[in-house]
Amino acid sequence: MHADLASLVGAEHVASDVALADASGLSGRVPALVAPGSAQEVAAVVAWCYEHDVAMVPVGGRSGYSGGIVPGADPDTVGIALDRLDALRSFEPLLWRMEAEAGVTTATVARRARENGLIFPPDPGAAEQSQLGGNLATNAGGPHAFKYGVTGHWVTGIEAVIAPGELVSFGGPVRKDVAGLDLRGLLIGSEGTLGIITAAWLRLVPAPPEALPVAAAFPTVRAGCAAIDAVLGSGVVPAAIEYLDGRCIAAAPAPFLPDAGGSELLVVCEAESAHDRDELLEALGDGAVAPPAAEVWRWRDGVSIAVRAARGEKLSEDIAVPVERLADAIEGTIAIGARHGLEGCSWGHAGDGNLHSSFLLDPGDDAMRERADAAALELFVMARELGGTASGEHGIGLLKAGQLSEQWAPAAVDAARAVKRALDPKGLFNPGKKEP
Amino acid sequence: MHADLASLVGAEHVASDVALADASGLSGRVPALVAPGSAQEVAAVVAWCYEHDVAMVPVGGRSGYSGGIVPGADPDTVGIALDRLDALRSFEPLLWRMEAEAGVTTATVARRARENGLIFPPDPGAAEQSQLGGNLATNAGGPHAFKYGVTGHWVTGIEAVIAPGELVSFGGPVRKDVAGLDLRGLLIGSEGTLGIITAAWLRLVPAPPEALPVAAAFPTVRAGCAAIDAVLGSGVVPAAIEYLDGRCIAAAPAPFLPDAGGSELLVVCEAESAHDRDELLEALGDGAVAPPAAEVWRWRDGVSIAVRAARGEKLSEDIAVPVERLADAIEGTIAIGARHGLEGCSWGHAGDGNLHSSFLLDPGDDAMRERADAAALELFVMARELGGTASGEHGIGLLKAGQLSEQWAPAAVDAARAVKRALDPKGLFNPGKKEP
């Protein structure tokens, strides 16, 4: 195996017996991790694997939360790292367009866009670490997905290697295209189970003239969610509507709301004009403040780490529910934790009904981790009962295998399986991931 | 056949020997056109057809431009009209959300949203006639797709009948969901070839505070396209960037630019604030005007009909190219027409590089129509050579069968065929349509 792979990508780009882990807490080992230097080399590696019935797991920035890059049960799985595919193949600011390879980081895309007065709106966390390919594989979201939509909305074309090792493109720089079935959209969010995305054409957009956050803290979850309702009824389209529950506020105190300790919900919205900011301040009511955007997002970026630090470890999910059930899901998260002897809490993308429901854990306490795993299953049940989903933006990966079968009708699951078989008849693309 | 179908939907909802035609100029007959009264009845009809190996063609508002509702070669094809599925199952303005059945017209969705201070941004033409199901089947666009994206961007879930007659949902009211493969997105734009969409959950958004069009006419195509470049470089995100070439200006004079006769390009953009309007006026240069939105869009809605009326008949395509190739495509359309002894012209969605390239025809002149058909094939070649696509928003239907094979690599086409086979193993869903 190693000699063959080395002949395709160079011996210095084949590592042996490598541990693969992401932010999910899952990990595993692959006998070989190859780092192709081009899309053509990715195709050559896939062709070799497909010919030799060798399973593949594509590896991006390793910042995922669902074990998407952790190998499944097959000990002979080859890891394919996209790091070396880090070229911006083209960037045409005046055409609001960029073609970037899969290994380009989220931060690089964002920075290059910003330097030219543009934004690439999807803003999942871990920007310095996460890569475009991973964002595409999970159809990543982030705070600004509320107004701007998830990653796939901003991708007009992808280049991918599909079975049995063919480098193809679906779409391109053209902004509208209905000539074929939307295989571009099908591969986005497929977590590498239908092929390996090697590059994408991104749609950019001029940066909004201003980023004007507003924030307020509320004594109860219900009061905070009522304020979110008022925001939705204000006539304004906020760029983001974020929230933290009381436990998260305590773990990650907001510098712009020093008196929020003891509050049960903190709400942050972002306006893009002074007029809209004033409307949002009114919707959030007395005590709402309008801190600088840099301060808000610097703080917000640290929330996940701060919540983890509160006890040393945590288990986080990313269920999503219809927005009118947000309060139920926030309270339900705490109640589920309590039933398992765990401190439950959540924060997330309120406007999208997307909760990062979490349980605080003592590091190394395996029994506690097992209780949290059991509690997580109850989170999925709750999400479904509220009309929602087991994953809003992190994907299924290894961690949530089997959840779709609880969520979709059998015929719908059969359709998903049929599509998987059609595009990956040998079942070699990231086996065990996104398993219904 | 008729007795069986009548037993499923009621004899009064089964018509015999019905002609089916849309705006493409194509037509055909089906031995039976059934009009189910519910999604469950659609499922029953599909199940009967699938069991008896009978081909199906779903029929919406009949306003399509590619013959998507015109039966293919099989004389025993059953038409399934969605007209009676015309319920708004739910409408929650404060949650920016609507669940509508496939037979609801585009105008109804727009009107109900507007009455509540919201918009459903996709705005394809023929709003009073076209139905949501058809918009989803073609992933329809329209002028405001430039800022807001096409239909699929605004759909969080669909209900559909898939083989062999199963009523399923992919997604729902929840705004973010990556638990399964994106079969929602796959069915959108599939032109009824993978199943029949019976309802959809639509995402709405508060209406922009203002709709402030600006317009200008230019002496040459290149000068007009340079102005479009200036618009893209202005830092403003226009809601729409439309254009008409000289022949279309003559056919559909703009009341707000009475001196535009003899101009070679007319550009209309829409701003959503006074600040942005002023920026766009500056980008369009001397002579730019800011007419009322109602006047602009009433005129714009009539352009297609006015161009047809210029000579009595026309053949229109909807190629799309990267926006920097727009001028080439506009001039190329005229040149292709000239080579075939036809008056070529175009108008469309400039910002998306989406041209309704057309040839003016004398009604009933079959030889002229044949020359136009040949010229249309050259339009597709030109679009591909410019890095674009044979269809930006109308779909492939019957009219453009075979175009995808010229546009995608063989392996990509094979993937599309494999997906089709996986979801429609008997090939009974709208056969002959969207044929690669």
Side-chain angles (χ1 to χ4, degrees):
Chain A
M1 174 190 283
H2 286 73
D4 285 358
L5 294 171
S7 75
L8 298 174
V9 302
E12 68 275 33
H13 300 301
V14 183
S16 295
D17 189 27
V18 176
L20 289 176
D22 64 7
S24 67
L26 299 175
S27 64
R29 301 192 81 84
V30 287
L33 178 66
V34 302
S38 66
Q40 288 73 20
E41 286 189 3
V42 176
V45 170
V46 170
W48 184 90
C49 290
Y50 229 82
E51 189 184 339
H52 293 86
D53 293 324
V54 171
M56 299 162 276
V57 54
V59 180
R62 312 185 190 202
S63 57
Y65 276 101
S66 62
I69 63 147
V70 176
D74 183 345
D76 288 328
T77 303
V78 166
I80 301 177
L82 283 306
D83 308 64
R84 293 177 64 216
L85 273 70
D86 62 353
L88 289 191
R89 293 184 184 168
S90 69
F91 177 32
E92 293 153 304
L94 291 174
L95 300 173
W96 306 5
R97 203 168 71 199
M98 182 187 285
E99 185 187 357
E101 292 187 334
V104 174
T105 66
T106 309
T108 300
V109 172
R111 189 176 61 250
R112 292 301 304 277
R114 276 276 178 203
E115 287 168 356
N116 289 273
L118 302 168
I119 55 170
F120 179 66
D123 57 347
E128 296 291 347
Q129 187 184 354
S130 72
Q131 297 172 3
L132 183 61
N135 293 342
L136 286 158
T138 57
N139 203 4
H144 290 82
F146 176 69
K147 174 172 178 178
Y148 290 97
V150 293
T151 299
H153 287 196
W154 297 91
V155 177
T156 58
I158 58 170
E159 179 193 80
V161 179
I162 59 174
E166 298 279 352
L167 183 64
V168 298
S169 294
F170 300 115
V174 65
R175 292 168 56 103
K176 285 163 78 181
D177 184 0
V178 292
L181 291 177
D182 188 9
L183 301 191
R184 176 204 59 83
L186 183 64
L187 261 75
I188 293 172
S190 70
E191 302 182 27
T193 63
L194 304 180
I196 299 178
I197 294 172
T198 51
W201 285 268
L202 308 181
R203 204 160 58 85
L204 309 171
V205 70
E210 300 186 276
L212 300 171
V214 301
F218 300 88
T220 66
V221 170
R222 299 281 159 180
C225 289
I228 291 169
D229 291 344
V231 166
L232 294 176
S234 71
V236 170
V237 184
I241 309 178
E242 300 283 297
Y243 84 97
L244 273 70
D245 79 357
R247 186 65 189 86
C248 295
I249 298 169
F256 44 87
L257 280 172
D259 301 329
S263 299
E264 289 300 330
L265 210 76
L266 192 157
V267 177
V268 176
C269 306
E270 186 165 85
E272 294 181 336
S273 73
H275 170 272
D276 285 0
R277 178 199 55 204
D278 294 344
E279 294 284 332
L280 295 180
L281 281 170
E282 188 176 328
L284 291 185
D286 295 341
V289 297
E295 184 178 13
V296 169
W297 294 112
R298 191 165 52 236
W299 160 81
R300 177 63 185 82
D301 281 346
V303 166
S304 179
I305 289 168
V307 173
R308 166 169 286 145
R311 195 152 182 151
E313 196 43 85
K314 67 174 168 60
L315 179 152
S316 282
E317 291 299 341
D318 83 312
I319 59 172
V321 298
V323 64
E324 71 274 22
R325 309 311 296 271
L326 180 65
D328 295 332
I330 293 171
E331 294 177 349
T333 297
I334 296 167
I336 289 169
R339 282 204 296 277
H340 293 267
L342 299 167
E343 216 174 350
C345 62
S346 69
W347 76 97
H349 314 305
D352 282 328
N354 190 185
L355 297 86
H356 295 315
S357 291
S358 303
F359 303 110
L360 305 185
L361 305 178
D362 294 332
D365 186 334
D366 292 342
M368 203 171 192
R369 163 69 69 168
E370 278 174 31
R371 297 207 305 280
D373 288 340
L377 294 177
E378 290 190 28
L379 286 178
F380 304 144
V381 172
M382 175 183 72
R384 286 193 293 274
E385 288 178 352
L386 295 174
T389 177
S391 182
E393 58 179 14
H394 290 171
I396 295 299
L398 272 183
L399 201 64
K400 299 172 225 176
Q403 286 303 317
L404 190 68
S405 295
E406 307 293 323
Q407 193 168 315
W408 282 13
V413 171
D414 289 347
R417 290 194 197 280
V419 168
K420 163 73 174 174
R421 272 195 309 275
L423 295 185
D424 181 18
K426 289 188 170 185
L428 298 176
F429 281 109
N430 216 0
K433 313 303 165 53
K434 216 175 183 84
E435 189 50 48
Chain B
M1 174 192 284
H2 286 73
D4 285 358
L5 294 171
S7 74
L8 299 174
V9 301
E12 68 275 31
H13 300 301
V14 182
S16 296
D17 189 26
V18 176
L20 290 176
D22 63 7
S24 68
L26 299 174
S27 64
R29 300 193 82 83
V30 288
L33 178 67
V34 302
S38 66
Q40 289 72 22
E41 287 189 3
V42 176
V45 170
V46 170
W48 184 90
C49 289
Y50 229 82
E51 189 185 338
H52 293 85
D53 293 322
V54 171
M56 298 163 276
V57 54
V59 181
R62 312 186 189 200
S63 57
Y65 276 101
S66 62
I69 64 149
V70 176
D74 183 343
D76 287 330
T77 303
V78 166
I80 301 177
L82 283 306
D83 308 65
R84 292 177 65 215
L85 273 72
D86 62 354
L88 289 190
R89 291 184 185 168
S90 68
F91 178 32
E92 294 153 303
L94 291 173
L95 301 172
W96 305 7
R97 203 167 72 198
M98 183 188 284
E99 184 187 359
E101 292 186 334
V104 174
T105 65
T106 308
T108 299
V109 172
R111 189 176 63 250
R112 291 301 304 275
R114 276 276 176 200
E115 287 168 357
N116 289 273
L118 302 168
I119 56 170
F120 179 66
D123 56 348
E128 296 292 346
Q129 188 185 352
S130 72
Q131 297 173 4
L132 182 61
N135 293 341
L136 287 158
T138 56
N139 203 4
H144 290 83
F146 176 70
K147 173 172 179 177
Y148 291 98
V150 293
T151 299
H153 288 197
W154 296 91
V155 176
T156 59
I158 58 169
E159 178 191 82
V161 179
I162 59 174
E166 299 278 352
L167 183 64
V168 298
S169 294
F170 301 115
V174 65
R175 290 168 57 102
K176 283 163 78 181
D177 183 0
V178 291
L181 292 177
D182 188 8
L183 301 192
R184 174 204 59 83
L186 183 64
L187 262 76
I188 294 172
S190 70
E191 303 183 25
T193 63
L194 305 179
I196 298 177
I197 295 171
T198 51
W201 285 268
L202 309 182
R203 205 160 58 84
L204 309 172
V205 70
E210 300 185 275
L212 301 171
V214 300
F218 299 88
T220 67
V221 169
R222 299 281 159 179
C225 288
I228 291 169
D229 291 344
V231 166
L232 294 175
S234 71
V236 169
V237 184
I241 309 178
E242 300 283 296
Y243 85 95
L244 272 71
D245 78 356
R247 186 65 189 84
C248 295
I249 297 169
F256 44 88
L257 281 172
D259 300 329
S263 300
E264 288 302 329
L265 210 76
L266 191 157
V267 177
V268 175
C269 306
E270 187 166 85
E272 295 181 336
S273 74
H275 170 273
D276 285 0
R277 179 200 54 203
D278 294 344
E279 294 284 332
L280 295 180
L281 281 170
E282 189 177 328
L284 291 185
D286 294 341
V289 297
E295 184 179 11
V296 168
W297 295 112
R298 192 166 53 237
W299 160 80
R300 176 64 185 81
D301 281 345
V303 166
S304 179
I305 290 169
V307 172
R308 167 169 285 144
R311 195 151 181 152
E313 194 46 84
K314 68 174 167 60
L315 180 152
S316 282
E317 291 300 339
D318 83 312
I319 59 171
V321 297
V323 64
E324 73 273 21
R325 309 311 297 270
L326 180 65
D328 295 333
I330 294 171
E331 294 177 347
T333 297
I334 296 167
I336 289 170
R339 282 203 295 279
H340 292 267
L342 299 167
E343 216 176 349
C345 62
S346 70
W347 75 98
H349 314 306
D352 282 327
N354 191 184
L355 297 86
H356 295 315
S357 292
S358 304
F359 303 110
L360 305 185
L361 306 177
D362 293 332
D365 186 333
D366 291 343
M368 204 173 191
R369 163 69 69 169
E370 277 173 34
R371 295 205 306 278
D373 288 340
L377 293 177
E378 289 190 29
L379 287 178
F380 304 144
V381 173
M382 174 183 73
R384 285 193 296 274
E385 287 177 351
L386 295 174
T389 176
S391 182
E393 59 177 15
H394 291 170
I396 295 298
L398 271 183
L399 201 63
K400 298 172 226 176
Q403 286 303 318
L404 190 68
S405 295
E406 307 292 324
Q407 192 168 317
W408 282 12
V413 171
D414 287 348
R417 290 193 196 280
V419 168
K420 163 71 175 176
R421 273 195 309 274
L423 295 185
D424 181 17
K426 289 187 170 185
L428 297 176
F429 281 109
N430 215 1
K433 312 302 165 57
K434 215 175 184 83
E435 189 51 47

